Each structure stands twice: as C-alpha cells, then as structure tokens.
Amino acid sequence: MAVRRHLLVLLPLFLALAAAAASGEGHGEASAVFVDAASHRFLRDQQGDNQDTSMSLNEVSAAVSVLLGFAPPTSLPAGSSSQLNKVLLPNPFDRPRAVFLLQIDGSHASADSFISETSSIFRTRIEGANSAASGLKDKDELIVIHSDESLDVSGSDYLDNELPNLANWLEGSYQKSSGKLVIPLESGNSLNLLLDKEADLQFATSLVSLLKTIERGIQVHEDFPGIVNPAELLACHFTGIKALESEYGSTEIFKQGTEVVRRAFMKAFESLQGAYKGKIVGLVISTKESSPSLGSIIDAPSSLHISRRLEEASKTNATSAPVLLVRLSLAWITGIILIVSTLMGYLLAYEHATHPRHPPLF
C-alpha cells in the first residue's frame, strides 16, 4: 500500500507546546488538561488535594514523552519524576503511544474551559514558562502530524469545499450566498459567523484546520497496520479563539466560540478514540500569550518526512499483496499436484488388485 501524502512531519519532540508560554517571565500564564480515554485509562484520578497542581515545562514535556512510549529525559530531577507519578498510571508496558495536542494561544480562558465536565481529566498550571522544554531527540518511531493554518481562504474553491464539510461535521450549515456559517450550541442557540469579517473567518479556518488534522492523523495511523507501531503526536495550533477575543472581547460571541471549540475538541477526540481503539490521550494547553517558538514549528512549510523504518515498512506493505498472491498460488498448485498423485496411486493399486497379471508359462 503506497503511503498517502499527508502533512506528516518527523520532528524531534521539542515540545513547543511547553514553549507556548515562553514569551517572557511573568507573561507566560498557561494551563493544561490531560484527557483520558474512557475505555482505556492511562492517567491517574486527580485527588482532591491535587486539584491545584502545577507542573514545569519540562514535566509536561516528559509526561508526553512517557505517554508516547519513550523514557523521560535522564536529566529530569527526582522531584519531577514524583510529579509524573501523580499524573501517569505506573504501567510502563501499557502506554497509548499517541497524543492529541490542542494548543490554544492568546486566550484568557483556562484549558479546562475547552473540556467537557464528564471527561476523565488531569488539570494543571504550567509554571516556569520562560524557557524551552527539553524534548526527545530524533526517533525513527515518532511521527508528528501538525495543523496547517496557512490555508488559502481567499478562493471560492476553499469556501465551497472545506466550509460545507466543517458545517456538516458540526451539524451546522454554511450559506454560500451570504458567507454565513451557523454552528448550533448545546444551549439551543447558535454561533453565527460572518466570513467577510476577518476574526470570524480566522475562527472558522482554525476549526477546519482542527478537522483536517484529525483526518490526516487517522489516515496516517491506518497506513501502517500490523507493520510498525510508531508513536504519534497530533498537534493542532488553534488561533481562532484569540481572533474572536481580540475582536469582540469577553462578549457572548467569545463565550459561544469557547463552547464550539470545546465541542469540536471532544468530537475530534471521540473520533480518534475509535480509530486508535482507545489508545490515545488528549492534551489541551491554553496560554494568555502567543508563542513565537510554537508558531515557528506549526507554520513550517508543508512537507513529507518519513523515517527510514516507516519508509521500508510502506515498501514492504506495497509489495506484500502480489507476493502473498504468488505464494498462495504456488501452495494451491502444489496441493493439487499432491492430491492428483495420491489419487493416481490409489487407482493403480486398485487396478493391480482387481486384475492381477499372471506370469507367463514359458
């Protein structure tokens, strides 16, 4: 099976999610929420005395590394290791090896504002955000799929194809003639976006980027069944909330936008849980300041980088079907020859028994 050309970027796990608040000391307020799968638990239950938890950037990065199936950095202090034990279940042989990261920049809303209250979560503040977190080095077994918000939204083809798909996914509607995107809310109201407004269009574009990220993640995950088991990090950089907050402030539209993001994330995570059979953990990080470090990675040019093992696996997968067909054909032919030979042997033996040949008299 040939590898589909997705936006698949192999990166060192320099968790720029951690650098999301690295815009300066005192300006890097950030919060994070780990979201567990209901069918397969990888996180501890957050006890009452741990509700006001705080973690450093390196600890968040190390937690993601462990969830992806890698060892935490050897430089991690003993106190940080203890902090990881408060978050992760102590089972090193049962890690999801997949993490879905939603990075929300420039919002005053905390990360748990974007998570359903019924979810199994572990919430924390992120402190010490004035320096980058240490991550993994290059790994053959790591795939990073990130969103691309440098989409061309000026052309009618984009509006005609992507926005109707988004509206259908969110059970809303898109009116091409008026450029109006309507997204229903659980409260019974609707968020009405007028796409001739820059902030509304940026919010809709972020939602499209989120949808396309999980679609690519599922497709990539299905490209390598039973061949290799690479760790997968799906990273979506969501700037639409910042656009709404900058344009409308803390008004009803901003609150409705937060509700839409919460619904979109939970819907996306539910789809990923089904595709990954529950072996995935979600992570939402919300920061009050935008991060140039994160943006430099998320906004990298579209390209395809596949590790050597994955490339070899895809070649093996692409040639496995004809090879199996040849082997199966040879097996059938050999089997038929053996059956025919056996039957001929029985027939000759039967003929000899029923019609014995007498030796000549002279």
Side-chain angles (χ1 to χ4, degrees), residues 4 14 73 77 80 87 102 109 198 269 284-285 289 303 308 357:
R4 304 187 187 110
F14 169 68
S80 295
V87 180
L102 179 64
E198 184 178 352
F269 189 57
V284 177
I285 292 187
E289 299 290 340
S303 58
R308 175 180 51 80
R357 297 182 180 181

Side-chain angles (χ1 to χ4, degrees), residues 11 14 26 29 51 59 89 99 103 107 146 158 165 188 211 216 233 236 258 272 319 326:
L11 298 172
F14 169 68
E29 296 182 45
Q51 292 295 321
E59 288 166 353
L89 287 175
V99 173
Q103 171 71 43
S107 173
H146 65 69
Y158 177 87
N165 292 338
L211 175 59
R216 283 197 302 269
L233 174 63
C236 184
T258 301
L272 290 170
T319 59
V326 170

Side-chain angles (χ1 to χ4, degrees), residues 98-292:
V99 173
F100 173 40
L101 163 66
L102 179 64
Q103 171 71 43
I104 301 173
D105 270 356
S107 173
H108 286 76
S110 61
D112 53 3
S113 301
F114 304 98
I115 302 298
S116 171
E117 294 180 358
T118 60
S119 304
S120 175
I121 64 175
F122 192 100
R123 59 173 60 89
T124 181
R125 299 190 314 276
I126 301 179
E127 296 185 346
N130 59 331
S131 59
S134 60
L136 295 176
K137 303 300 181 182
D138 289 338
K139 293 284 184 181
D140 281 345
E141 302 85 0
L142 173 63
I143 296 175
V144 177
I145 302 169
H146 65 69
S147 60
D148 182 9
E149 292 199 332
S150 59
L151 301 171
D152 180 14
V153 298
S154 60
S156 60
D157 289 343
Y158 177 87
L159 297 178
D160 290 341
N161 297 326
E162 301 299 341
L163 292 176
N165 292 338
L166 173 66
N168 182 64
W169 184 58
L170 293 175
E171 301 175 358
S173 63
Y174 170 63
Q175 301 169 10
K176 178 182 176 182
S177 58
S178 61
K180 185 177 182 180
L181 179 64
V182 180
I183 303 174
L185 305 173
E186 294 179 357
S187 61
N189 298 323
S190 297
L191 173 63
N192 299 314
L193 298 173
L194 301 177
L195 301 184
D196 57 349
K197 296 183 177 180
E198 184 178 352
D200 293 27
L201 181 59
Q202 187 172 348
F203 183 79
T205 303
S206 289
L207 290 173
V208 170
S209 180
L210 170 63
L211 175 59
K212 293 175 74 69
T213 299
I214 65 166
E215 288 177 343
R216 283 197 302 269
I218 292 174
Q219 290 173 344
V220 169
H221 182 71
E222 293 174 348
D223 268 343
F224 305 101
I227 299 175
V228 291
N229 182 28
E232 300 171 56
L233 174 63
L234 284 66
C236 184
H237 186 199
F238 199 98
T239 60
I241 282 290
K242 178 184 177 182
L244 287 187
E245 192 169 6
S246 298
E247 179 69 20
Y248 302 107
S250 299
T251 61
E252 187 64 23
I253 292 181
F254 169 72
K255 295 176 182 178
Q256 290 179 342
T258 301
E259 184 178 341
V260 169
V261 175
R262 177 170 62 245
R263 180 182 169 199
F265 173 80
M266 297 311 299
K267 191 176 182 68
F269 189 57
E270 182 179 350
S271 298
L272 290 170
Q273 285 186 73
Y276 286 73
K277 297 181 173 57
K279 302 198 70 174
I280 187 168
V281 167
L283 174 59
V284 177
I285 292 187
S286 178
T287 68
K288 292 185 179 181
E289 299 290 340
S290 299
S291 168

Side-chain angles (χ1 to χ4, degrees), residues 23-37:
S23 51
E25 191 168 358
H27 301 281
E29 296 182 45
S31 58
V33 176
F34 292 88
V35 186
D36 213 349

